[in-house]
Amino acid sequence: MEKRDSSLQSFDYLLILRGACAFAVVLRHYPFEFYTALGTSHLEWLLRPFGYIPVLVFFCLSGFLITQNFILGRYEPGSILGVWGYYRNRALRVLPLYYFSILACVLIYWPESFYRWDEVLALFGFVGAYKIDGGIIFNHVYWSLPVEVAFFVLAPVLFFSMRWLCLSLGVLGALLFIILAYFIYSAIVFWDIPYDDGFVMSRAIWNRLAHHDVIYNFEVFLLGGIAAFYVNGQSRRGTVRGQLFFKVSLASLILLMFARTGIVGDALFQKGKVDAFTLYLLLPLLGFWFLGFTMLYAKPQLIRVSRIGLLFRRALEALGHWSYGVYLFHMPILSIVEKFDILSGSAYQNSVMSFLALICVIAFSAMTYRLIEKPVMRFRMRSGHLVSSSA
């Protein structure tokens, strides 16, 4: 019997990516100012990436994993029973923790939430706003849930549309078709917005679209879905996995997006403006990046690691499992920590407070995963082939 190399461990990079995105959202929303205290303000774009990018990666992951579930036969989108099983599992995955977070926010923001009970009820139906007059009251991230749920509802129909595009145009042609169609859509939507300083428009209008327009955000879901057709439609063995140039290109592209949106984009945001890069290029570039990422890392891989590397991998994958809770609860928990007014004022004190809140978020998310998410998963219907990463 051949002895197995104990240093070989399986890495689920899609799960790790999901955890990294949740962590990036927290870094963006929390008042971490260690870069100021350490004199590294020029690296803020890397330490606190533009918050929209990790959310878009979430959307890409959802589009990829759900489309892959259809491709691999876990759900049959052409049958009533298959679609019912899909909707049932999606509801069990999304609703329990989301509804629990709403109830938690009602208690945290009591009594203000009591006087806006109609807005609280609207959140349960994914039709409510995430802000009220006078500031954020419920949860800063609730804008993304209606967008995700709209895609989940339409996913069986969109699957057939994406499959038809891939069969008719090929995967690359389907990608370019979606990018071109959305470029035209964006141009039509914003054609009458006054521009100045070149290609610059109102941040308020863009923010409304980016946070509330379902169609505008569907581009990245579709690009993630097309990536699933590519990854599961042909053998990838020996194509790009060992090519250093491909990996360097992927890293350079994500750094370009971080730098362009973090340095230039943040400066424009402070002036109430958005540039053409954010409006027209960010989504398609991210889609291309995600396609390349899945070409390399879509399936768990055996990699030789040390014990320290194994612990690091387990920590990252655990964060991936807890990512939904981290995403939903990081702002409410920060509000609780801030109410105690333990530390505030200097850049160093704000960073310590942020680390304290982050520890609480991770601990609470681990608890809700164990007590809410994981038990509910036992009731999910299982059929066909199972994919390696749960959506």
Side-chain angles (χ1 to χ4, degrees), residues 35 59 75 84 126-127 135 137 154 190 194 209 213-214 229 258 262 324 339 351:
Y35 55 87
F59 291 167
Y75 308 110
W84 161 247
F126 299 97
V127 293
I137 190 65
L154 296 175
F190 297 120
L209 270 179
D213 190 308
V214 173
F229 276 99
F258 276 16
Y324 190 29
K339 286 181 180 179
S351 295

Side-chain angles (χ1 to χ4, degrees), residues 21 28 33 36 127 148 200 211 213 256 273 316 347 358-359:
C21 288
R28 181 65 184 186
E33 298 181 27
T36 300
V127 293
E148 287 243 18
V200 178
H211 284 190
D213 190 308
L256 167 66
K273 300 176 180 179
L316 291 175
L358 177 59
I359 293 172

